[in-house]
């Protein structure tokens, strides 16, 4: 059974940093691209960032480019999102999502339960 | 970026009746070389993450009931629930993957029971 478990969310002040993690199991992690998708409370879905199976291709939404860094460790079956210079508008549930393919990005066939990031003073 | 526009924002349908959701893209998501539409549909129930329903616009994900169907091509797409069940109450999103790696979602359509 595919499982994606996010962690690392919480309350953080504007301008500070936070690192999210996603632990994957139930599939060959290194055979798939991975993504972060966020959802502000009560709002729609926004793709944030994606990384190819071997980390050769990394992409970001314009809204986070230069502030967020995605990475992965295939040996640990883990995906990460380093979020710097956080803003109030970054407040959202952050979902780890598995891509159907190795290379970025198609559609997301599995999602984690999400971790809530709240940016507030 | 391709803008995905869904309509309506919400709809209320009686149990057993048909629900139809529209998704329009600001440019075509049909890749001519393979004749595939790069469009997916997701279902998000309250308090849960999204779940993949459909990809390539009309291919049902494994385990998705056949009352769900996807249609359309180019810029206009439809998700149809042929006979609404109580467990179908959710928000439905379309997503294009034509302009990979930049991926975009529609704004969502909330389906409720009338």
């Amino acid at each position: 059974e595919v499982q994606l478990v996010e962690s690392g969310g919480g309350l953080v002040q504007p301008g500070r940093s936070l690192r999210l993690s996603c632990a994957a199991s139930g599939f060959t992690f290194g055979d798939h691209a991975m993504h972060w998708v966020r959802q502000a409370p009560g709002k729609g879905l926004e793709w944030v960032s994606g990384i190819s199976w071997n980390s050769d291709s990394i992409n970001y939404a314009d809204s986070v480019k230069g502030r967020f860094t995605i990475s992965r460790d295939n040996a640990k079956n883990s995906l990460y999102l380093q979020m710097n210079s956080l803003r109030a508008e970054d407040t959202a549930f952050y979902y780890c999502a598995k891509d159907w393919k190795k290379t970025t990005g198609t559609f997301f066939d599995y999602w984690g339960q999400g971790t809530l990031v709240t940016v507030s003073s | 970026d391709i803008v995905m526009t869904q309509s309506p924002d919400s709809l209320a349908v009686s149990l057993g009746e048909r629900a139809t959701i529209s998704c329009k893209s600001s440019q075509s998501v049909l890749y001519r070389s393979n004749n595939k539409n790069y469009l997916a549909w997701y279902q998000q129930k309250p308090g849960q993450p999204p779940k993949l329903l459909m990809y390539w616009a009309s291919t049902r994900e494994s385990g998705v009931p056949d009352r769900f169907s996807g249609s359309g091509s180019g810029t206009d797409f439809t998700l149809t629930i042929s006979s609404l069940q109580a467990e179908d109450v959710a928000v439905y999103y379309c997503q294009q993957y034509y302009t990979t790696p930049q991926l975009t979602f529609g704004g969502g359509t909330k389906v409720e029971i009338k």
Side-chain angles (χ1 to χ4, degrees):
Chain A
E1 179 196 2
V2 172
Q3 285 199 314
L4 299 168
V5 180
E6 302 94 339
S7 60
L11 175 63
V12 61
Q13 293 179 327
R16 304 299 290 263
S17 300
L18 208 58
R19 189 193 197 210
L20 305 184
S21 299
C22 171
S25 61
F27 67 103
T28 305
F29 183 72
D31 278 354
H32 293 270
M34 296 294 296
H35 301 263
W36 290 98
V37 178
R38 69 184 180 184
Q39 185 173 38
K43 302 297 184 183
L45 301 168
E46 179 188 17
W47 173 81
V48 172
S49 182
I51 184 169
S52 64
W53 66 283
N54 60 359
S55 304
D56 271 2
S57 178
I58 289 176
N59 298 279
Y60 301 95
D62 288 343
S63 57
V64 307
K65 201 172 293 183
R67 300 187 299 122
F68 290 12
T69 302
I70 192 172
S71 61
R72 66 189 294 162
D73 185 335
N74 288 348
K76 294 182 178 180
N77 289 343
S78 293
L79 177 72
Y80 306 100
L81 186 67
Q82 177 67 42
M83 303 186 295
N84 298 332
S85 303
L86 282 161
R87 306 166 179 167
E89 53 265 36
D90 296 320
T91 294
F93 287 92
Y94 284 75
Y95 295 102
C96 168
K98 172 182 169 288
D99 198 291
W100 184 65
K101 283 182 65 173
K102 272 189 166 183
T103 52
T104 59
T106 58
F107 49 87
F108 316 111
D109 55 0
Y110 288 93
W111 299 64
Q113 289 295 314
T115 187
L116 178 61
V117 173
T118 303
V119 183
S120 174
S121 53
Chain B
D1 287 0
I2 293 182
V3 176
M4 308 300 291
T5 303
Q6 289 184 233
S7 61
D9 291 337
S10 65
L11 75 161
V13 176
S14 300
L15 288 172
E17 295 300 305
R18 179 185 301 263
T20 302
I21 299 167
S22 171
C23 173
K24 295 183 188 294
S25 57
S26 59
Q27 66 186 74
S28 176
V29 299
L30 172 63
Y31 198 49
R32 298 254 179 223
S33 64
N34 59 10
N35 200 36
K36 285 182 180 287
N37 287 284
Y38 283 49
L39 184 106
W41 287 97
Y42 301 88
Q43 174 193 63
Q44 186 177 31
K45 296 182 179 180
Q48 295 185 19
K51 171 191 169 184
L52 177 66
L53 289 180
M54 213 78 62
Y55 51 95
W56 304 126
S58 60
T59 301
R60 209 177 294 116
E61 171 71 332
S62 175
V64 173
D66 60 7
R67 64 179 179 273
F68 290 91
S69 63
S71 63
S73 185
T75 60
D76 294 302
F77 299 91
T78 301
L79 177 71
T80 301
I81 309 172
S82 61
S83 175
L84 190 75
Q85 305 300 304
E87 60 265 31
D88 301 334
V89 168
V91 179
Y92 293 84
Y93 295 93
C94 59
Q95 176 235 329
Q96 66 82 21
Y97 45 104
Y98 183 85
T99 56
T100 182
Q102 299 296 321
L103 309 171
T104 51
F105 292 90
T109 295
K110 186 175 186 179
V111 174
E112 299 172 306
I113 305 294
K114 186 187 290 182

